Amino acid sequence: MSRIRLRIHRAVRWGSFVATLGLLWASSAVAQTPPRPNIVFIMADDLGFGDVGILNQNARAAAGLPSFATPNIDSIALQGIRFNTFYSAPNCSPSRAMMLTGFHQGHTIIDRANLEQDIRGGKEDETWAQRLQEVGYATGAFGKWHVGGVNNTGSSIRSFDALPTQKGFETYYGPMFGNYRLAVHWESDGAGGVVRVPSPSDPTYTGPGSKVVYLDDLVAQQTVGFIRDKANGPAPFAAYVPFTAPHSPFDQAPPDHPYADAPWSQVHKNYAGMIWRLDQQVGQILAAIDDPNGDGDTSDSIANNTLVVFTSDNGPLLPGTSFGFHPEFFDSNSPFTGYKNHFWEGGTRVPFFVRWTGQIAPGQVDQESLMSFADVMPTLAQLAGAESPFGIDGRSFADKLVDGLEGDKNEVQLTIVNREYGGGNPGGWTLRIGDWKLVHRLNSTLITNPIPLLYNVRSDPAETTNLSFQKPQLVAALEAIAYAEGANREPLGLSVETPVVTETKNTYFTQYKSWNPAEGSTAFNDAGNWLGGTPFGLVGDPPAEGWNTGPADNWLASIAAIGPEQSISAAIAINTTVLALEVRGEAGGSADLVVEPGVTLNARNGVFASSGGVLRLQGGEINTVRDVVIRLGGVFSAHGTISGQQASVAHVPELAGLGIFTPHLKNAGRIEVRNDLSPSLPGHLTIDGDFTQFASGELMIDLGSGSAPPQPWVDVSDVARLGGRLSFVHADPASLMPGSGGLFHILHAADGIVGAFATIAGPTLAEGLGWELIYTPQDVYVNIAVGAGQQASNLHEWRLSYGTEGSGLIADFNSDGRVDGTDFLQWQRSFSESLGDGSPPAHSIPEPAAIALAFIAACTMKARFAMQRRSRN
């Protein structure tokens, strides 16, 4: 019978130690998240970066300057991690749309506030709450919704599908949007809708507005009740808590606060009092987590299994827009320039704190990671054990939270200000990559023929020095990237609200398209084979770009078979561009997509093969700056190339070293490297980026019918992280003998291999032969192994003729500057082929040579750990 042996340089104790470190690193790089946490996501409204004690106000108090305290909000950061480079949209609704759906502003249908726009229903614009519901979470939202569902006065339902109760929150209470003292609120009706209810009265209130309880007090009460009801229950829960404070007006908050007698103007006292009240409400929520039944005994605390997030939807209100308020009085945007509705850092850089007691180490400060609200959806989904919708812009930072790993990078931070605003802000867009930020202003009534503005926001966070003239190459590259991400794609027009103000028209956003071919058709590019899409942006606008014209770069294209009787196929026969693509089967159905020879599928946000879906790359190319993801139950039949767009920035010195726009093949399903075009020939998969195989994944190599090809079956340009199963088949395994092409180069990773396959399976060989798996720092080989006597004979000859005991002949066969076991492999292959009698010795690395390889591996460990910064898991 055949046998399989595994060698990872284990002949000496040091080699074993190195291999073990590599395996441990791999298991952490493909992080196993802790048990699913409860989630409490708290969002303030118009709270500036500098409006938090730990970020600015505490320092102002120490200096004797006007300030206020936020000890409860501070405690979240002190007990967890704070991210100092976290981005929102510039105003309310788009920030919420980003945070809920995982798309940045270039792809959201809601890219502005207070207009007739609604988040889309069902599987379109899916929220993280919908995904959490699907995996058993109890969900509730309490506070300001503001992504549609009701009309602009908040008095009637406009779009039932956009209500929070239809977008994943079984419980809702709040104003949808509105003021602090509204006489009527909305709450869930128990049947999937919402109903208007009177607000509780507060006869002691004498200020402006209705004599009803202050809105955010009600929000806190409802949230605390929800937490206490769900704590320690049979299912985890998620609470979304979008407070309204400190949004204007500032005069309706309760007057009982520590700053009522401060020597400040009344509007600034009110502002400080509102934030003090907000901090007290956050404290009530934290207390409910620490002591759910409120009896003073914290033995029932759920802090150890509850993730708490605190943030704000955008920067502080503009100066002078509310009864003389000026954010500079408290340095609310410190240390940045700009305010709400601005594309400057002060409008979009927001506090973002995360606490998870026992899982997130306290007191952490992250100054490096560029993140945005688009990253919230995939992060919460991963922590909850749910899949994210395919093709979103956001990247999960769950691994960073619980393991400190870099994880996937959100390489692009895009902000769109869609119209002219006060304070001299003409509107436009910004793009940040690395330390660099490009500002593109609209050609509007405020400014004509504007020039681009380029800032290094790390060294110049206040954005004072324009470097665009010194770096035109960088400006051009950033402009091209911004266009590809969806910026600068919409026409200018007059504002619906203010006809003399210029704004962009929302005609470019994600289009959800589903495969519905005509009888017998498999033509992917035929527009008639697709259904769905959103034909209009704003009411009265012309049709939105790309919704009915055939595949376009804002399409989320889904090829899905539904039900056990359905089997569908599609073929991409010409070069094609979409935003993202998924092929999947549901309820036993099967779907098959072929990328034909010589054809390129461009999918900027990735390609996904989900359960029941088969993706066939038959001599073509998949180009993406994100991921090719093979999910559990999905299949990738691979012969071709996965490419990225590294070349688009390689010529720009400021971007070339960032490792951006590199694709990542992630396998939790099955990859079959085979040549369906010519089954007698070997397949070959080139990955111009990273490769990760998870524990559930399988890599199957079709060894074909002949000898091994000169190149590896899988060629990875960056890092390969290995796990799961390796299997291989051969058309005639009985014919395989040592020396007859018996050494198979399975995989090469130029930047190194981390980890190992957990299980290996191969076909049965002739009696006395077996498979042997061999790892080097960059390669995986499968060898046909023979008895130890023949191996020892080869090693003896090697030592005498070429090794360290040799006669001085050339020993460095592969010219890499060192003599090691890989040179022995090359010599042994040449020696075997020279015999030509079918009985040469086995091609395997001798154990003494493994000592040299172990030393090499040890030297590369530092480099491997450095690769964490490039990890895209």
Side-chain angles (χ1 to χ4, degrees):
M1 294 182 63
S2 65
R3 63 194 186 281
I4 296 177
R5 291 190 293 166
L6 172 64
R7 289 193 180 177
I8 316 180
H9 322 312
R10 59 176 178 260
V12 293
R13 208 171 271 180
W14 176 243
S16 177
F17 174 70
V18 169
T20 302
L21 280 180
L23 289 168
L24 290 174
W25 192 91
S27 65
S28 63
V30 184
Q32 301 297 313
T33 56
R36 302 187 301 166
N38 305 310
I39 294 167
V40 178
F41 190 98
I42 304 169
M43 176 183 282
D45 194 331
D46 294 358
L47 184 80
F49 187 92
D51 279 333
V52 179
I54 197 172
L55 296 179
N56 187 31
Q57 294 301 309
N58 296 347
R60 289 178 60 82
L65 299 171
S67 61
F68 43 82
T70 60
N72 293 301
I73 295 170
D74 291 355
S75 73
I76 300 174
L78 292 171
Q79 296 167 17
I81 183 171
R82 56 182 163 115
F83 296 97
N84 284 348
T85 49
F86 203 100
Y87 285 86
S88 68
N91 53 45
C92 303
S93 297
S95 281
R96 287 161 169 75
M98 287 173 61
M99 182 271 299
L100 288 166
T101 67
F103 288 103
H104 63 48
Q105 274 189 280
H107 295 136
T108 55
I109 191 170
I110 296 178
D111 70 346
R112 65 204 71 200
N114 300 324
L115 292 175
E116 297 278 336
Q117 292 176 301
D118 302 279
I119 194 172
R120 287 168 286 192
K123 290 292 185 180
E124 298 187 355
D125 292 345
E126 277 190 280
T127 69
W128 52 260
Q130 286 173 275
R131 290 292 168 130
L132 267 58
Q133 268 192 324
E134 292 175 358
V135 295
Y137 271 69
T139 55
F142 310 97
K144 180 178 176 179
W145 180 239
H146 211 189
V147 286
V150 299
N151 63 5
N152 283 359
T153 64
S155 60
S156 63
I157 294 175
R158 179 177 71 225
S159 173
F160 182 81
D161 290 344
L163 296 175
T165 45
Q166 289 295 305
K167 297 307 294 180
F169 297 102
E170 61 198 60
T171 301
Y172 174 73
Y173 184 94
M176 300 293 280
F177 68 92
N179 214 324
Y180 294 98
R181 303 278 181 175
L182 290 175
V184 178
H185 288 124
W186 295 86
E187 68 177 26
S188 45
D189 62 7
V194 293
V195 62
R196 283 162 60 84
V197 295
S199 301
S201 64
D202 179 8
T204 66
Y205 178 66
T206 60
S210 303
K211 290 183 176 296
V212 296
V213 177
Y214 182 59
L215 168 63
D216 283 357
D217 285 344
L218 295 174
V219 169
Q221 292 169 15
Q222 292 288 327
T223 304
V224 167
F226 179 81
I227 291 171
R228 288 180 170 162
D229 181 58
K230 303 300 181 184
N232 298 309
F237 68 83
Y240 168 44
V241 193
F243 285 108
T244 300
H247 193 290
S248 64
F250 303 146
D251 56 357
Q252 295 184 25
D256 55 335
H257 58 78
Y259 310 104
D261 297 326
W264 311 331
S265 65
Q266 188 61 48
V267 68
H268 293 107
K269 288 190 286 188
N270 290 343
Y271 187 77
M274 291 179 74
I275 295 178
W276 176 85
R277 191 77 170 196
L278 171 66
D279 186 74
Q280 296 296 299
Q281 292 150 355
V282 170
Q284 293 169 24
I285 293 171
L286 297 178
I289 293 170
D290 291 337
D291 181 14
N293 64 12
D295 66 355
D297 179 358
T298 59
S299 61
D300 60 341
S301 172
I302 57 171
N304 283 348
N305 63 320
T306 301
L307 182 89
V308 180
V309 178
F310 179 85
T311 188
S312 175
D313 65 344
N314 46 248
L317 198 66
L318 275 71
T321 53
S322 183
F323 306 102
F325 170 73
H326 202 298
E328 302 303 335
F329 185 80
F330 294 115
D331 198 19
S332 294
N333 56 0
S334 175
F336 310 115
T337 299
Y339 317 97
K340 175 181 179 178
N341 297 325
H342 282 189
F343 39 53
W344 310 114
E345 295 288 286
T348 59
R349 189 91 76 92
V350 294
F352 197 91
F353 307 154
V354 189
R355 184 193 89 171
W356 186 359
T357 305
Q359 296 292 344
I360 299 175
Q364 296 182 73
V365 180
D366 186 313
Q367 302 276 20
E368 304 294 329
S369 303
L370 298 185
M371 296 178 178
S372 79
F373 280 144
D375 301 326
V376 170
M377 149 63 98
T379 300
L380 299 187
Q382 180 181 337
L383 291 171
E387 287 185 345
S388 298
F390 81 94
I392 61 176
D393 298 305
R395 313 289 267 178
S396 173
F397 55 92
D399 292 349
K400 175 175 282 291
L401 292 177
V402 298
D403 291 309
L405 298 177
E406 185 65 36
D408 291 326
K409 292 181 179 179
N410 197 334
E411 298 161 336
V412 172
Q413 298 300 340
L414 179 67
T415 298
I416 297 175
V417 178
N418 48 65
R419 53 169 290 183
E420 298 175 13
Y421 283 97
N425 182 20
W429 54 260
T430 72
L431 183 85
R432 179 173 176 180
I433 297 179
D435 297 341
W436 299 95
K437 177 177 176 180
L438 182 69
V439 177
H440 177 100
R441 296 167 293 173
L442 294 180
N443 186 3
S444 63
T445 59
L446 291 176
I447 184 171
T448 58
N449 300 318
I451 62 170
L453 306 175
L454 178 69
Y455 303 102
N456 185 315
V457 289
R458 181 179 298 276
S459 60
D460 180 21
E463 299 167 278
T464 60
T465 305
N466 176 25
L467 302 174
S468 62
F469 293 109
Q470 292 96 309
K471 297 182 179 293
Q473 190 179 47
L474 176 58
V475 169
L478 294 176
E479 286 178 336
I481 293 167
Y483 184 87
E485 290 287 337
N488 209 27
R489 305 292 286 272
E490 299 171 336
L492 287 175
L494 295 179
S495 169
V496 173
E497 297 175 318
T498 310
V500 296
V501 173
T502 300
E503 71 171 350
T504 60
K505 298 298 181 181
N506 192 28
T507 60
Y508 183 88
F509 43 82
T510 52
Q511 295 291 336
Y512 295 88
K513 307 294 291 187
S514 59
W515 179 247
N516 187 53
E519 183 71 26
S521 177
T522 61
F524 185 93
N525 290 79
D526 186 345
N529 286 337
W530 294 92
L531 291 178
T534 306
F536 293 94
L538 301 177
V539 174
D541 278 351
E545 179 181 339
W547 79 278
N548 64 350
T549 57
D553 65 0
N554 60 349
W555 272 34
L556 297 170
S558 175
I559 301 173
I562 303 174
E565 303 301 318
Q566 189 173 26
S567 177
I568 58 176
S569 299
I572 301 179
I574 60 175
N575 291 346
T576 299
T577 298
V578 293
L579 178 61
L581 181 149
E582 181 185 41
V583 54
R584 73 179 191 274
E586 296 178 358
S590 62
D592 190 288
L593 172 67
V594 176
V595 182
E596 295 188 349
V599 171
T600 298
L601 167 62
N602 298 290
R604 190 170 187 84
N605 278 12
V607 178
F608 299 74
S610 299
S611 181
V614 180
L615 172 65
R616 302 185 189 277
L617 182 63
Q618 296 186 357
E621 179 178 349
I622 295 173
N623 180 270
T624 180
V625 301
R626 298 297 180 91
D627 305 326
V628 176
V629 179
I630 315 305
R631 288 173 165 165
L632 186 65
V635 176
F636 181 28
S637 182
H639 174 56
T641 300
I642 296 174
S643 62
Q645 297 182 18
Q646 305 95 311
S648 66
V649 295
H651 64 290
V652 183
E654 295 84 359
L655 304 179
L658 298 180
I660 61 176
F661 301 154
T662 300
H664 192 168
L665 175 60
K666 300 178 178 180
N667 182 32
R670 179 178 170 88
I671 297 176
E672 301 174 350
V673 182
R674 63 192 334 152
N675 189 341
D676 290 337
L677 300 172
S678 303
S680 62
L681 299 177
H684 181 67
L685 176 61
T686 298
I687 305 167
D688 192 16
D690 294 325
F691 171 59
T692 296
Q693 179 156 295
F694 299 95
S696 63
E698 178 179 5
L699 175 63
M700 192 283 289
I701 305 294
D702 186 344
L703 301 179
S705 58
S707 60
Q711 76 271 29
W713 270 265
V714 180
D715 198 346
V716 182
S717 68
D718 290 351
V719 181
R721 300 171 187 84
L722 304 182
R725 177 182 174 90
L726 171 67
S727 64
F728 35 94
V729 298
H730 192 278
D732 186 14
S735 68
L736 291 174
M737 295 291 291
S740 59
L743 181 69
F744 298 96
H745 193 177
I746 298 297
L747 181 145
H748 173 76
D751 282 356
I753 292 173
V754 178
F757 296 107
T759 59
I760 306 98
T764 300
L765 299 172
E767 185 67 28
L769 299 180
W771 297 100
E772 184 174 45
L773 196 61
I774 303 166
Y775 291 88
T776 77
Q778 294 178 309
D779 299 277
V780 178
Y781 297 91
V782 169
N783 178 52
I784 298 175
V786 294
Q790 185 66 69
Q791 177 73 10
S793 174
N794 287 341
L795 177 58
H796 180 68
E797 183 172 348
W798 161 260
R799 283 177 166 176
L800 290 177
S801 300
Y802 298 102
T804 56
E805 304 170 22
S807 59
L809 298 176
I810 296 174
D812 185 11
F813 280 81
N814 60 9
S815 301
D816 65 354
R818 61 178 180 251
V819 177
D820 54 27
T822 54
D823 299 301
F824 174 83
L825 276 175
Q826 188 164 336
W827 167 82
Q828 197 178 34
R829 166 170 283 205
S830 301
F831 176 74
S832 300
E833 291 172 351
S834 70
L835 294 180
D837 60 359
S839 59
H843 295 167
S844 56
I845 300 177
E847 299 291 10
I851 298 173
L853 289 175
F855 176 74
I856 296 165
C859 293
T860 60
M861 283 306 295
K862 182 177 180 181
R864 288 191 183 188
F865 279 104
M867 286 179 218
Q868 289 188 27
R869 66 181 181 83
R870 303 181 56 202
S871 170
R872 299 174 177 83
N873 300 313

